[in-house]
Amino acid sequence: MVATRALDLTSGLATLSLLCGLFGSAKGVSLEVSTEGGNSSSPLLYGFMFEDINHSGDGGIYAQLLRNNGLQGSKPDLTAWGSVGNSKIAVDSDNPLTSAITHTLRVDVPKEATGRVGVTNAGYWGIPVDGSNFHTSFWIKGKLDGDITARLVGNGTGTEYASKSISVSSNGNKFTVVDASFETTKAPDGNVYYELTVDGKSVAGSSLYFGLVQLFPRTYKDRQNGLQPKLANALESVKGSFLRFPGGNNLEGDDGGSRWKWNETIGPVEDRPGRQGTWTYPNTDGLGLDEYFYWCEDMGLEPVLDVWAGFALQSGGNTPITGDALKPYVDDVLNELEYVLGDKSTKYGALRASYGRDDPWPLKMVEIGNEDNLGGGCQSYSERFTAFYDAVHKAYPDLTLIASTSEKSCLPSSMPKGAWMDYHDYNSPDGLVGQFNYFDNSDRSVPYFIGEYAQNGVDWPIMQGSVAEAVFMIGLERNSDVVKMAAYAPLLQLTNSTQWKPNLIGYTQSPTGLVETSSYFVQEMFSVNRGDTIKKVTSDLSFGPVYWVASSAKDAYFVKLANYGSKTQDISIAISGKNQGKLTVVADDDAKAANTDTETPIAPTDSTVSAKDGKFTFTLPAWSVAVLAAS
Ligand SMILES: *[C@@H]1O[C@H](CO)[C@@H](O)[C@H](O)[C@H]1NC(C)=O
Ligand SMILES: *[C@@H]1O[C@H](CO)[C@@H](O)[C@H](O)[C@H]1NC(C)=O
Ligand SMILES: *[C@@H]1O[C@H](CO)[C@@H](O)[C@H](O)[C@H]1NC(C)=O
Ligand SMILES: *[C@@H]1O[C@H](CO)[C@@H](O)[C@H](O)[C@H]1NC(C)=O
Ligand SMILES: CC(=O)N[C@H]1CO[C@H](CO)[C@@H](O)[C@@H]1O
C-alpha cells in the first residue's frame, strides 16, 4: 500500500474540462497526433507479477490438481483426503517418503474388509476435468499384488469421468513408484473428486502408505510438471513482456525461516519439502525456480527474479537482518544466481544441468526484496540493498538490479548507476486517477518498475476502477521512457479461497470456469497494442475526464483513451496519412458493473473505423477504455 498523492489540478484548462464533463460535452475532444519525433517507449512496458496467493499457484496455474498431496505445511493434516469403504486413514510420520516429504497417508484396512477400499482427494475445491489425457502418480508402501483403480468421479452425482486400472506390485519394505496416463471425459463443472481404490479382501488386515499423490491434466505446451492450460492461455493472450516472481509477500515469509528458499524448490518434486506460505496455506513448491523460468520461456516473458533481502513480514516487532549477519543471505543469492546463470562447469550450474536444463536461464533483471518501505523495513533497506547490490553487481555486472521501493528515505542517498526502483500502488479509482501525472517531469535518472498496482476495496474489478487503471497506465505510457515495466496485481484468484481482492482473472475448477475481468481486458488491450515511440498529442482540452496517449511502431499508430466519467464523449483524432483503423472499446454505463463468477456483462468490442477529412470520429461510451489502432 502507498499513500495517495493529491491530484494536481493546476491548469485552468483542467477545470474547464471538468465543467464540460459536468454539463455534457457539446464540443467533444479533438486530438492531433504528431507523426514526427517522440520519446522512446520501453519495449517491456506491460507484463505480469506472480506470487502464490488465493491458490493462484497450487490449485491454480500450477497444473497439479490434488490438494494436500504431499501432506506438507507446518501442521500436516487430512485436509482434502477421505477414505473409501471401511478403511481408516491417518497422517503417518513413521514412514517418510524422502527427507523432504516426511509425512505419508496411511490406510488401515480392517480384517473383515470387503469391496473397494482406499482414499479420495477433493482437489482444490474440486478438480477441473477438461477432457484431456491425464497423468497420475504416487508412491506406495505395503504388500499389494493386484490392481489399483484411479477414478475421477462427480461429487454428488457419481458420474465417472475417468477410470484407470493400474497393475501394482509393492511391498512393505520400501516405497514403490506408480504412474499411469489415462483418458478423461470433460466434466460439466468442477465438482469432481479423485479416488484410488483396491480390492479390500486382497489387503484385509494390512496398512498401505501413500506418498506424494499427483494428478495432472495435459499441461500448457505439454511441459512436464507444467502449467494449467486454461489459465496459461488467458495470460498468453495478453502478450505480456515479463514475469516478476516468486513474490510479493510470499517471498518474504512471516519470519526469516519461512522465507521462500530457492534451493528447496528445485529438482525432483519428492525432494521439495514445500513450506508454509505467507498467504495462510502450505505451498508445495512444485512450481519452483526452474518451473518459473520454463513459464517465461514458453510464454516469451523476460524473467524478473525477486530475491530475499533480509526482511520478513512477521507481524509486530520486525527485525531486519543487517551487518555481518547478512553475509550468508547475500551468499545464498549468489548461489541462486549461479544456479540460474552459471554454465555447467560451475557448482550450481552443474546442479541445474543435472535437473535437465543445460543452458543457463536468460535472466537479466533481479529485484532486491519486496516492499521494503513497509512494516519497519525502510530504515535498514539502504544498508541491505547496498550489501546485495554490491555483491551481485560485482559478480554479474550486466544484470539490472531493482530496489523494492522508490521512497527516497529508504534508499541510498544516490542510487547506483543502472539500478531501478519499484513503486506499488493499490488505490481507489479516484486515487489511481490522481496518480495520472505522478511520473510527469519526474527525475529521469533512475528508471521505474511499477511492480504492483490495481484498484482496491472491491471484490471484483469494477468498470470505474478498470477505467481508473487505464488512466494510470496512460500516465505510465506517456512516461515510458523512464517507467520501464508495470504489472497489475494480484494476477489470479481461485474464487473458492480468496485472500486478497480484487484480482485480474478469477477461476473455479469447472473446465470452463474462467472470469476475465474488465481489468483483464484493459491489460490485454494496452499490451497487444504497443508502439515503440510515444508521440506528441495536441488538443484544445486538458486531461480529464478523457485521457489519452499515442504511440507508433513503424507505420502503425495506437491511440489509447479512457473516459473516466458517466457521460459519453465525442472524439476526433487526426493522424496525418492514416485513414483506416480498428477501434477496440470496453465499457459499461454502470460504474460499479463487474465481471464475476456469477455474471459477465463486460466484454470488449472491435469495429472498423475510417477517417473522414483526415479525422477519425467516434463516441466514447460512459466509463470506457478504447484503443484506436491505425495503419
Ligand atoms: C465433495 O464436496 C464436498 C463439498 O465441497 C467436500 O466436503 C467433500 O469432501 C467432497 N467429496 C469428496 C469425496 O472429496
Ligand atoms: C466454488 O465456487 C463456485 C462459484 O465461484 C461454486 O459454484 C462452487 O460450488 C464452489 N465449489 C466448492 C467446492 O465450494
Ligand atoms: C537451502 O539453503 C539454506 C540456506 O539458505 C539451508 O539452510 C538449507 O538447508 C538448504 N536446503 C537444502 C535442501 O539444501
Ligand atoms: C518526452 O519526454 C520529455 C521529458 O519528460 C517531456 O517533456 C516530453 O513531453 C515528452 N514528449 C512526448 C511526446 O511524450
Ligand atoms: C478471505 C479468504 O477466503 N481467505 C481464505 C484464503 O485461503 C485460506 C487457505 O486456503 C483460507 O483459509 C482462507 O479462509
Side-chain angles (χ1 to χ4, degrees):
M1 299 280 194
V2 289
T4 309
R5 280 150 187 92
L7 173 57
D8 177 22
L9 261 189
T10 46
S11 108
L13 281 175
T15 314
L16 178 67
S17 79
L18 271 183
L19 290 175
C20 286
L22 282 177
F23 299 113
S25 90
K27 192 157 155 283
V29 177
S30 102
L31 308 175
E32 187 174 339
V33 177
S34 167
T35 51
E36 305 294 318
N39 293 333
S40 68
S41 175
S42 167
L44 297 177
L45 191 54
Y46 299 117
F48 307 117
M49 182 274 174
F50 178 86
E51 66 175 324
D52 203 329
I53 179 172
N54 305 330
H55 291 282
S56 57
D58 287 325
I61 199 162
Y62 175 48
Q64 199 291 116
L65 299 173
L66 303 180
R67 186 174 175 205
N68 194 24
N69 66 321
L71 305 171
Q72 289 151 297
S74 53
K75 290 192 208 91
D77 62 14
L78 287 173
T79 295
W81 291 104
S83 66
V84 177
N86 51 3
S87 57
K88 286 212 174 62
I89 58 170
V91 175
D92 189 281
S93 55
D94 295 333
N95 294 272
L97 177 63
T98 60
S99 57
I101 303 295
T102 55
H103 293 82
T104 52
L105 187 63
R106 192 176 80 227
V107 184
D108 296 323
V109 185
K111 284 202 182 72
E112 66 281 9
T114 54
R116 307 298 296 179
V117 297
V119 296
T120 57
N121 187 288
Y124 291 94
W125 292 264
I127 294 174
V129 184
D130 59 8
S132 67
N133 199 34
F134 273 47
H135 187 259
T136 190
S137 66
F138 52 88
W139 277 260
I140 181 169
K141 186 169 159 182
K143 183 151 177 47
L144 175 67
D145 274 297
D147 286 346
I148 292 191
T149 303
R151 295 201 308 151
L152 293 170
V153 184
N155 188 345
T157 63
T159 309
E160 200 173 84
Y161 299 107
S163 178
K164 171 75 179 180
S165 184
I166 313 162
S167 160
V168 173
S169 174
S170 64
N171 60 60
N173 301 326
K174 62 173 181 43
F175 278 96
T176 302
V177 70
V178 176
D179 76 326
S181 294
F182 53 92
E183 297 297 316
T184 65
T185 307
K186 186 171 172 175
D189 56 39
N191 295 324
V192 175
Y193 65 86
Y194 170 90
E195 183 191 84
L196 281 181
T197 59
V198 299
D199 171 41
K201 259 191 198 145
S202 71
V203 289
S206 75
S207 295
L208 298 174
Y209 301 87
F210 290 91
L212 200 68
V213 189
Q214 299 189 84
L215 178 70
F216 282 91
R218 181 173 184 182
T219 59
Y220 176 66
K221 308 245 158 137
D222 289 318
R223 177 74 61 198
Q224 203 196 338
N225 198 36
L227 304 181
Q228 171 65 246
K230 177 176 78 175
L231 299 177
N233 289 333
L235 294 181
E236 190 185 82
S237 310
V238 173
K239 296 198 167 89
S241 295
F242 64 87
L243 178 70
R244 173 181 171 224
F245 61 86
N249 290 9
N250 203 32
L251 166 79
E252 292 178 74
D254 286 334
D255 54 52
S258 69
R259 72 187 191 282
W260 186 87
K261 298 189 191 88
W262 72 275
N263 60 335
E264 299 186 350
T265 74
I266 55 175
V269 282
E270 64 272 23
D271 293 336
R272 302 183 195 181
R275 60 183 270 268
Q276 188 63 33
T278 301
W279 295 104
T280 74
Y281 55 91
N283 293 178
T284 67
D285 288 332
L287 177 59
L289 185 59
D290 286 307
E291 284 78 17
Y292 283 116
F293 283 106
Y294 282 117
W295 173 356
C296 291
E297 192 163 272
D298 289 346
M299 225 178 263
L301 305 168
E302 283 287 343
V304 181
L305 175 65
D306 246 89
V307 298
W308 198 73
F311 186 56
L313 287 165
Q314 197 175 51
S315 47
N318 269 353
T319 318
I321 296 166
T322 53
D324 288 345
L326 265 182
K327 177 97 171 58
Y329 299 98
V330 172
D331 289 345
D332 189 50
V333 167
L334 292 174
N335 293 343
E336 179 177 9
L337 292 174
E338 185 177 288
Y339 181 87
V340 171
L341 292 165
D343 65 36
K344 285 194 283 177
S345 68
T346 63
K347 177 179 169 191
Y348 289 103
L351 182 62
R352 181 198 64 239
S354 78
Y355 294 150
R357 173 74 187 196
D358 277 6
D359 292 337
W361 293 110
L363 176 70
K364 298 189 195 119
M365 289 174 277
V366 172
E367 179 159 355
I368 298 170
N370 173 63
E371 295 185 338
D372 285 272
N373 51 316
L374 301 180
C378 178
Q379 214 193 343
S380 60
Y381 187 60
S382 169
E383 176 191 343
R384 291 183 290 115
F385 172 78
T386 303
F388 285 89
Y389 180 92
D390 287 350
V392 174
H393 182 69
K394 188 167 167 226
Y396 302 96
D398 294 336
L399 284 178
T400 295
L401 302 181
I402 307 172
S404 75
T405 174
S406 62
E407 277 184 34
K408 295 266 182 297
S409 60
C410 314
L411 294 170
S413 52
S414 98
M415 282 287 280
K417 198 168 173 299
W420 297 5
M421 307 181 287
D422 190 349
Y423 174 77
H424 293 181
D425 193 358
Y426 293 103
N427 219 321
S428 66
D430 284 352
L432 281 169
V433 172
Q435 297 273 289
F436 168 69
N437 56 7
Y438 182 66
F439 298 97
D440 288 358
N441 311 312
S442 70
D443 174 17
R444 267 30 204 176
S445 62
V446 189
Y448 284 92
F449 172 28
I450 316 304
E452 303 178 23
Y453 68 91
Q455 58 184 297
N456 63 7
V458 289
D459 286 355
W460 292 87
I462 59 168
M463 193 64 224
Q464 179 182 359
S466 303
V467 179
E469 287 156 8
V471 172
F472 180 63
M473 291 163 79
I474 287 171
L476 301 181
E477 196 163 319
R478 278 164 41 81
N479 290 283
S480 56
D481 55 326
V482 70
V483 176
K484 300 293 185 189
M485 307 191 290
Y488 185 102
L491 197 54
L492 302 168
Q493 157 196 15
L494 174 59
T495 61
N496 304 85
S497 177
T498 294
Q499 276 213 306
W500 181 288
K501 298 166 180 177
N503 296 263
L504 195 64
I505 297 172
Y507 58 95
T508 65
Q509 302 302 21
S510 165
T512 54
L514 182 73
V515 184
E516 294 171 332
T517 65
S518 46
S519 293
Y520 170 83
F521 293 127
V522 169
Q523 290 293 320
E524 184 179 42
M525 286 161 61
F526 273 46
S527 179
V528 302
N529 294 294
R530 274 194 257 177
D532 52 30
T533 307
I534 302 303
K535 295 298 198 186
K536 189 170 170 133
V537 179
T538 317
S539 174
D540 46 356
L541 290 179
S542 187
F543 294 113
V546 179
Y547 295 80
W548 57 82
V549 64
S551 63
S552 69
K554 294 207 179 78
D555 286 345
Y557 279 75
F558 305 98
V559 183
K560 293 170 181 159
L561 297 146
N563 179 12
Y564 189 71
S566 58
K567 297 208 161 53
T568 62
Q569 296 285 341
D570 292 331
I571 307 290
S572 140
I573 300 176
I575 312 168
S576 176
K578 300 293 159 196
N579 297 308
Q580 290 301 316
K582 184 177 98 172
L583 184 67
T584 307
V585 180
V586 65
D588 203 297
D589 287 349
D590 177 3
K592 303 264 180 286
N595 284 353
T596 71
D597 53 340
T598 54
E599 54 174 4
T600 51
I602 303 167
T605 56
D606 284 339
S607 59
T608 306
V609 285
S610 314
K612 281 200 200 83
D613 302 327
K615 285 179 176 168
F616 294 95
T617 57
F618 51 89
T619 302
L620 277 185
W623 304 113
S624 63
V625 177
V627 180
L628 171 69
S631 50

